[in-house]
Amino acid sequence: VLHAHGIDVILDIVVNHSSVEHPYFVEGLQAFKDNTESPYKDYYLFSNTYFTHPTLGYGAASLDGVYYDAFYGITTMPAFNYDNMAVREMFIDIFSYWLDKGVAGFRLDASKHVYDDTTLNNEVFTYFVDTLALTYDDVYFVNEIWASQSEVIPYFESGMSNFNFDARNWIAAAIAGDTNYGMYLETYQ
């Protein structure tokens, strides 16, 4: 019905973590604890010892005596292991499922934190764009990368769009009367 009115729908997708209640995490955690095989054991980063995130410095979360990387140390949000190609393929499957239902694209939540490295993130995002382009004519992606324009600009290399939060902040400041939006536009241009 929406397509008949020229309206496209994009979905918000969380790409950097799942819930501790997600079946993949539950099975992966159990397999790690029991030292048994499961494809989901490598969907996350599990360890028997405490560790600190290498770039952000927060500590590992723990559950049932197992440590795991969690988004910003939030214990309920275990981070995906994007070094495992099966995780990337899982997202291709998720995107494809929704594209086949008629969705036009996706907003990738907190996508800056898939890795905490622009080059590695762009590798993942380019993989998403290029792989889906083999099957779908037009897929729209927009990254939520809450950072300055100078930090966001390199992300355009992936072929995805990106929010401009600097412009949003200036507009909000102008509405609040804290700054002159015209001066910002002149500087921006």
Side-chain angles (χ1 to χ4, degrees), residues 147-179:
S148 68
Q149 285 176 187
S150 61
E151 248 185 288
V152 171
I153 288 170
Y155 283 98
F156 285 99
E157 293 173 17
S158 70
M160 292 186 177
S161 297
N162 301 280
F163 286 117
N164 184 341
F165 288 109
D166 277 355
R168 175 245 175 245
N169 294 338
W170 273 92
I171 293 167
I175 291 170
D178 297 334
T179 189

Side-chain angles (χ1 to χ4, degrees), residues 5-23:
H5 296 285
I7 299 172
D8 286 331
V9 173
I10 66 170
L11 296 180
D12 187 65
I13 302 285
V14 177
V15 292
N16 51 34
H17 66 274
S18 72
S19 163
V20 291
E21 296 176 11
H22 193 287

Side-chain angles (χ1 to χ4, degrees), residues 101-176:
K101 299 263 184 216
V103 166
F106 308 93
R107 172 198 175 270
L108 302 185
D109 181 71
S111 52
K112 175 183 175 183
H113 303 293
V114 165
Y115 286 103
D116 291 296
D117 177 279
T118 304
T119 301
L120 293 173
N121 283 341
N122 272 343
E123 178 186 303
V124 171
F125 302 154
T126 301
Y127 177 77
F128 289 164
V129 169
D130 291 350
T131 302
L132 292 171
L134 298 172
T135 307
Y136 302 95
D137 291 334
D138 187 22
V139 179
Y140 179 75
F141 281 101
V142 61
N143 285 310
E144 183 226 6
I145 299 173
W146 202 283
S148 68
Q149 285 176 187
S150 61
E151 248 185 288
V152 171
I153 288 170
Y155 283 98
F156 285 99
E157 293 173 17
S158 70
M160 292 186 177
S161 297
N162 301 280
F163 286 117
N164 184 341
F165 288 109
D166 277 355
R168 175 245 175 245
N169 294 338
W170 273 92
I171 293 167
I175 291 170

Side-chain angles (χ1 to χ4, degrees), residues 3-97:
H3 290 292
H5 296 285
I7 299 172
D8 286 331
V9 173
I10 66 170
L11 296 180
D12 187 65
I13 302 285
V14 177
V15 292
N16 51 34
H17 66 274
S18 72
S19 163
V20 291
E21 296 176 11
H22 193 287
Y24 293 177
F25 180 79
V26 172
E27 182 178 326
L29 176 69
Q30 193 63 49
F32 183 84
K33 282 176 54 178
D34 297 342
N35 197 25
T36 57
E37 291 303 313
S38 167
Y40 305 118
K41 186 164 58 173
D42 294 325
Y43 274 45
Y44 304 90
L45 298 172
F46 294 114
S47 175
N48 286 316
T49 57
Y50 178 81
F51 62 91
T52 301
H53 192 279
T55 57
L56 295 176
Y58 59 76
S62 67
L63 186 64
D64 296 335
V66 175
Y67 294 96
Y68 58 93
D69 186 19
F71 179 66
Y72 272 88
I74 301 168
T75 59
T76 57
M77 300 189 317
F80 285 115
N81 173 16
Y82 270 89
D83 289 340
N84 179 358
M85 280 304 291
V87 170
R88 298 177 192 206
E89 287 299 318
M90 173 188 69
F91 278 100
I92 293 297
D93 291 345
I94 291 168
F95 298 142
S96 297
Y97 172 84

